[in-house]
Amino acid sequence: MEFCDECGSMMKADEELWVCGSCGNKQPKNPDANYVLTDDQEVSEVIETGAGDSGLPTTSAQCPNCDNDRAHWYMQQIRAADESETRFFVCTECEHKWREDDH
């Protein structure tokens, strides 16, 4: 990731150049740098469940699917940056997923 020397905005890769989407400034890429895009940078965050410990914290929450009273939870930004994050729950029994505002 590179930032524009002129305006400080994040630059986008275009062939052998970094191009600023805000001011149009162009900078050559460093030929000695190793720019690698890994698979996990291409995909949004995925929460895996069902394979043992999910690593997520648990809380008291009533599952709308099976009435279990425990669920894992995580926060995720799904709207614009100026909006608050949304809390998601995953039932510890049936792995049903729901959002805090779903019920």
Side-chain angles (χ1 to χ4, degrees):
M1 182 181 319
E2 292 291 323
F3 292 94
C4 180
D5 292 338
E6 298 297 318
C7 70
S9 296
M10 189 169 30
M11 300 184 83
K12 298 176 185 173
D14 182 29
E15 299 294 323
E16 300 297 318
L17 296 173
W18 289 107
V19 180
C20 179
S22 296
C23 72
N25 181 35
K26 295 180 181 179
Q27 295 173 201
K29 288 183 180 178
N30 180 350
D32 297 328
N34 186 13
Y35 299 108
V36 177
L37 188 63
T38 62
D39 290 340
D40 60 337
Q41 290 172 315
E42 292 284 333
V43 191
S44 63
E45 182 181 26
V46 176
I47 303 295
E48 291 186 27
T49 60
D53 183 24
S54 69
L56 298 172
T58 58
T59 189
S60 294
Q62 192 75 31
C63 175
N65 191 48
C66 72
D67 291 328
N68 180 39
D69 64 351
R70 299 295 294 168
H72 298 290
W73 65 274
Y74 62 96
M75 304 285 281
Q76 188 170 13
Q77 187 74 36
I78 60 172
R79 298 182 201 101
D82 63 342
E83 299 287 335
S84 62
E85 292 179 310
T86 301
R87 184 163 42 168
F88 290 89
F89 296 96
V90 181
C91 179
T92 57
E93 290 295 319
C94 72
E95 297 182 7
H96 175 72
K97 295 180 184 181
W98 72 98
R99 298 188 329 190
E100 188 166 41
D101 60 351
D102 278 353
H103 58 273

